Amino acid sequence: MTSILENFIKAISDKYKISLNEAFEILSMFSILGRPLDEIYKEYWVAGTNDGGIDGIYIDEDTGNVHIFQSKNSKQLKQKDIQKFKSDYKNFFESGNTSNIEINEKIQAFIDEIKDFGEKGRILKPILYFCYSGENTDPPNAKIFKKFAKLVGNPPFFIKDSVLLIENLKSLQGIQRSSIVEFSFHPVSSEIYPGEQAIFSFYTQQIKAANFRISAIELCKLIDEEKSKNGTIDTLFSENIRGYLKVNKTNKKILETLLDSSKRSFFPFLNNGLTFICENMQIPAQPQVNIFLLSVKNPLIVNGQQTARMIYKIYTEKGEKTLDKVYLTVRAYETKENRLIDMITEATNTQTTINFRDQMSNKHFNHWARIMFASKKVTYIAKRGEILNPNPLEGELSESVANDTVLKFWYATYHEDPHTAKTSKSRVLESIFLATKEENPSLAKLFSGNPNSPVYSQLYNAYQIYKLVLEKRKIIESKKQTDLEYIFHADELICYGIYKKLQKKKKLKNLSSINIESLYEEVRSIINEVVKEEKVNLGEVYAHSKYFKSEGILEDYKLKAGIK
């Protein structure tokens, strides 16, 4: 286990030319967040001095969660380090730095962003992670770990050791099914009319469908079969709109119900069950010696992944007896029709929080965008909780980007709306999601899934602009240029400005890092002048976090840049 972790740390250190301790900080965030390494390195990791004891921050706009990290590349868990981390969190994020500790511009930008959310009435939920490279089971680590693990704190606090970090990394790998899986369900007979078939089946639009009830143990047998044939259970969920979300709020409730002997018999009434699609399904017309069998070929769970994984977790950790008399409902469809798969997936995924990135993760434009980025040797990640390349050391560490980031900066550039891109990524994703359903006419042709759409090259161009802007920001950050602190709020506007200049020069078809870089300083100098003027106009009430989210920032920039 240690050697695996060391390999990852070394690979990250080599990639970014940073120390092993700094590489561990990035690895910890990558393992837990499942965001691309490049994005973590450039946007969420807090490098250098005066970091206030905070190594990284990620604000999830969809859930309202603020993930705050402190990492120690040490085999030993120290109580004083944990207590200091908690104290630093309270000082900066609850008390507003009443201790007057000097902090760098990046930490200040995060604090300003969180403050801005609060002033707008948005409740954010902090989650603290203390990560280290030892193991919680090793004495004396175990004693300290148990002490803090027992605390039910607010905010939630987690200690992640090397074992948990590696387990997370494994779950981020996207693996395709290599062997055929055939399985026969034993639908539970009706208990109202004993001995009667309890399968509701129908056939419409060339789609065969069946609804029935199975035991939880039988689901675990299917998962065992998947693991036996393909070496992993992840392939059973490959058509799901997102990856496994670990033990989140909903999953905790599932576990609580299943582990409570007085509640588990009510499970079918409290849970939406599972939805399968499969290549072939044989529905019984009559019993085989009083046994009804329903066979499926290559089943995939498109809804109910969290339920299935929680049940399987209990099965592997507690044994079959814990799941005795636990049943769940199943809907199964025999179809290869992608459009139906999309419709089923969207309609049935309602039990846990679904954001627009989840809902469009399987949309066809993402397939073509993935191919476009792959041709440029970039991994395009479309699904939350999943890294596409089966070998992160070879794939993820080369170059990768999440599709919601690409779409956000496409919206800022080609859609010419940096204000919305800055203010609300959710609004951007909603607009594009509606376009995939032909409910947003202005964007429908671009995102219809047509392989000849110009949007794929536009997405890659937007990514190239975004990448250079972040690289420039990292340089400014390392030089500690305090007169340019607004740079942490200006990514979307700078990308827009560069795009407009490239458009005017007709350089978008032959985009290169050279012609993007040549325009960067021009755009930044314009923004610098705009910010100076606004500071004079507003005086002490001026704040970067507010100005760059205001509608006026775009108009001010266009006026100064001479854009009509």
Side-chain angles (χ1 to χ4, degrees):
M1 190 68 71
T2 301
S3 62
I4 294 174
L5 195 71
E6 288 173 348
N7 286 342
F8 269 97
I9 295 170
K10 178 68 165 57
I12 294 171
S13 174
D14 291 344
K15 175 179 171 65
Y16 298 117
K17 305 295 186 295
I18 56 178
S19 71
L20 294 176
N21 291 340
E22 290 174 321
F24 180 72
E25 294 171 6
I26 293 173
L27 171 67
S28 300
M29 296 184 69
F30 169 63
S31 172
I32 292 167
L33 297 176
R35 301 294 301 185
L37 275 173
D38 292 332
E39 189 176 304
I40 289 171
Y41 170 70
K42 295 173 183 174
E43 297 201 54
Y44 315 131
W45 177 53
V46 180
T49 57
N50 299 329
D51 61 9
I54 307 297
D55 292 331
I57 300 175
Y58 171 63
I59 303 172
D60 189 332
E61 182 186 316
D62 294 305
T63 63
N65 291 333
V66 181
H67 303 268
I68 303 171
F69 294 83
Q70 170 59 234
S71 302
K72 297 289 184 183
N73 187 19
S74 169
K75 297 291 188 293
Q76 186 178 353
L77 185 62
K78 298 179 181 178
Q79 181 167 318
K80 65 177 183 179
D81 290 337
I82 297 173
Q83 290 172 332
K84 181 180 182 303
F85 175 43
K86 286 193 163 190
S87 175
D88 289 337
Y89 158 76
K90 287 184 178 180
N91 176 53
F92 291 115
F93 299 99
E94 290 185 4
S95 304
N97 194 14
T98 52
S99 300
N100 293 317
I101 296 173
E102 184 180 356
I103 53 176
N104 61 40
E105 291 80 8
K106 193 162 190 177
I107 282 289
Q108 186 61 56
F110 278 122
I111 293 173
D112 291 345
E113 190 77 6
I114 293 168
K115 183 180 178 182
D116 188 54
F117 273 107
E119 290 177 350
K120 290 179 178 178
R122 178 77 186 273
I123 298 174
L124 297 179
K125 296 164 284 186
I127 303 173
L128 308 185
Y129 303 92
F130 185 91
C131 306
Y132 75 112
S133 55
E135 295 187 16
N136 289 334
T137 55
D138 287 348
N141 295 344
K143 183 178 180 181
I144 298 172
F145 172 73
K146 288 178 182 178
K147 176 180 179 179
F148 284 93
K150 288 180 180 178
L151 300 177
V152 180
N154 188 18
F157 174 75
F158 299 97
I159 297 175
K160 300 289 185 178
D161 67 349
S162 60
V163 177
L164 293 172
L165 293 177
I166 291 297
E167 285 180 359
N168 283 1
L169 289 171
K170 183 179 178 182
S171 71
L172 294 176
Q173 298 177 28
I175 305 171
Q176 298 301 310
R177 181 180 264 162
S178 58
S179 300
I180 293 173
V181 174
E182 295 180 316
F183 189 81
S184 291
F185 290 109
H186 294 71
V188 180
S189 62
S190 170
E191 293 179 352
I192 298 175
Y193 302 104
E196 292 296 316
Q197 182 193 61
I199 303 174
F200 169 56
S201 60
F202 58 94
Y203 186 82
T204 182
Q205 299 292 320
Q206 298 183 326
I207 298 162
K208 193 185 294 183
N211 292 9
F212 50 96
R213 188 168 60 117
I214 63 171
S215 71
I217 294 171
E218 185 154 276
L219 168 66
C220 296
K221 299 297 184 185
L222 168 62
I223 297 175
D224 279 342
E225 179 70 8
E226 184 72 43
K227 188 174 182 178
S228 173
K229 287 289 183 67
N230 292 293
T232 177
I233 70 173
D234 296 338
T235 46
L236 186 61
F237 309 103
S238 59
E239 281 292 338
N240 211 277
I241 60 176
R242 59 189 173 188
Y244 176 38
L245 301 181
K246 308 295 187 302
V247 186
N248 61 6
K249 182 179 180 180
T250 300
N251 290 351
K252 283 181 180 178
K253 288 184 178 179
I254 293 172
L255 281 175
E256 288 170 5
T257 301
L258 291 172
L259 293 173
D260 188 334
S261 59
S262 66
K263 293 181 180 179
R264 65 173 66 119
S265 61
F266 295 102
F267 191 73
F269 310 117
L270 306 176
N271 187 273
N272 288 338
L274 308 176
T275 302
F276 285 91
I277 59 170
C278 61
E279 293 179 10
N280 182 269
M281 177 166 59
Q282 298 297 322
I283 301 174
Q286 61 279 322
Q288 293 179 204
V289 193
N290 294 323
I291 298 174
F292 285 101
L293 296 175
L294 188 148
S295 65
V296 293
K297 178 182 178 182
N298 283 340
L300 295 171
I301 295 177
V302 295
N303 173 252
Q305 173 175 193
Q306 316 307 322
T307 294
R309 287 190 184 262
M310 288 296 101
I311 288 174
Y312 194 65
K313 177 181 174 68
I314 291 174
Y315 171 77
T316 55
E317 294 179 0
K318 305 282 186 181
E320 289 188 16
K321 288 186 178 180
T322 311
L323 295 172
D324 188 36
K325 296 183 180 179
V326 175
Y327 298 94
L328 62 158
T329 53
V330 172
R331 288 175 288 184
Y333 303 97
E334 178 190 289
T335 182
K336 295 180 182 178
E337 174 59 50
N338 287 327
R339 182 170 173 271
L340 177 69
I341 293 171
D342 289 345
M343 291 169 64
I344 291 171
T345 302
E346 289 173 20
T348 57
N349 279 277
T350 57
Q351 191 175 15
T352 52
T353 304
I354 306 293
N355 61 34
F356 289 107
R357 185 191 180 197
D358 291 334
Q359 293 189 58
M360 66 182 172
S361 64
N362 284 346
K363 294 299 184 183
H364 299 305
F365 84 85
N366 273 318
H367 168 75
W368 299 113
R370 187 181 292 113
I371 292 174
M372 163 63 80
F373 278 71
S375 71
K376 305 291 187 180
K377 298 183 179 180
V378 180
T379 302
Y380 175 92
I381 302 167
K383 192 175 294 186
R384 180 160 59 118
E386 179 177 86
I387 297 299
L388 294 178
N389 197 296
N391 189 343
L393 281 174
E394 293 179 3
E396 166 61 21
L397 293 190
S398 56
E399 189 174 345
S400 62
V401 64
N403 69 332
D404 56 346
T405 296
V406 174
L407 294 169
K408 174 182 177 180
F409 283 91
W410 174 87
Y411 209 87
T413 54
Y414 280 83
H415 198 58
E416 301 192 16
D417 194 349
H419 161 256
T420 299
K422 174 68 178 175
T423 306
S424 175
K425 183 167 65 176
S426 292
R427 284 173 58 189
V428 172
L429 298 180
E430 179 182 11
S431 179
I432 294 171
F433 172 69
L434 293 175
T436 66
K437 296 164 65 66
E438 299 184 352
E439 295 176 18
N440 184 345
S442 65
L443 298 180
K445 287 185 178 180
L446 286 172
F447 291 94
S448 65
N450 183 338
N452 295 317
S453 170
V455 78
Y456 312 118
S457 58
Q458 292 178 6
L459 291 172
Y460 183 70
N461 285 350
Y463 167 66
Q464 285 186 282
I465 297 171
Y466 152 80
K467 187 171 71 168
L468 180 127
V469 169
L470 257 65
E471 287 170 355
K472 288 290 187 180
R473 172 146 68 78
K474 288 295 291 185
I475 294 171
I476 292 172
E477 182 183 346
S478 66
K479 292 181 179 178
K480 302 177 183 178
Q481 295 174 255
T482 54
D483 59 319
L484 298 176
E485 71 272 9
Y486 67 83
I487 208 74
F488 294 102
H489 304 270
D491 294 340
E492 293 81 4
L493 187 61
I494 295 175
C495 287
Y496 164 80
I498 292 173
Y499 163 77
K500 290 302 290 182
K501 286 184 175 292
L502 288 167
Q503 183 186 52
K504 186 175 181 179
K505 294 174 180 289
K506 298 182 179 179
K507 295 281 188 180
L508 286 166
K509 286 188 177 180
N510 300 302
L511 207 62
S512 71
S513 58
I514 296 173
N515 57 37
I516 300 174
E517 190 165 5
S518 66
L519 300 173
Y520 177 84
E521 291 301 331
E522 292 181 36
V523 172
R524 195 174 61 76
S525 64
I526 294 172
I527 294 176
N528 200 40
E529 291 301 314
V530 169
V531 168
K532 283 182 179 179
E533 290 182 8
E534 189 67 8
K535 279 184 174 180
V536 171
N537 292 336
L538 295 181
E540 292 183 359
V541 299
Y542 173 85
H544 294 311
S545 58
K546 290 185 175 64
Y547 185 44
F548 280 89
K549 287 183 178 179
S550 69
E551 294 184 14
I553 185 70
L554 180 59
E555 293 307 313
D556 291 348
Y557 177 85
K558 290 169 72 173
L559 183 64
K560 183 69 68 175
I563 298 173
K564 296 181 180 180

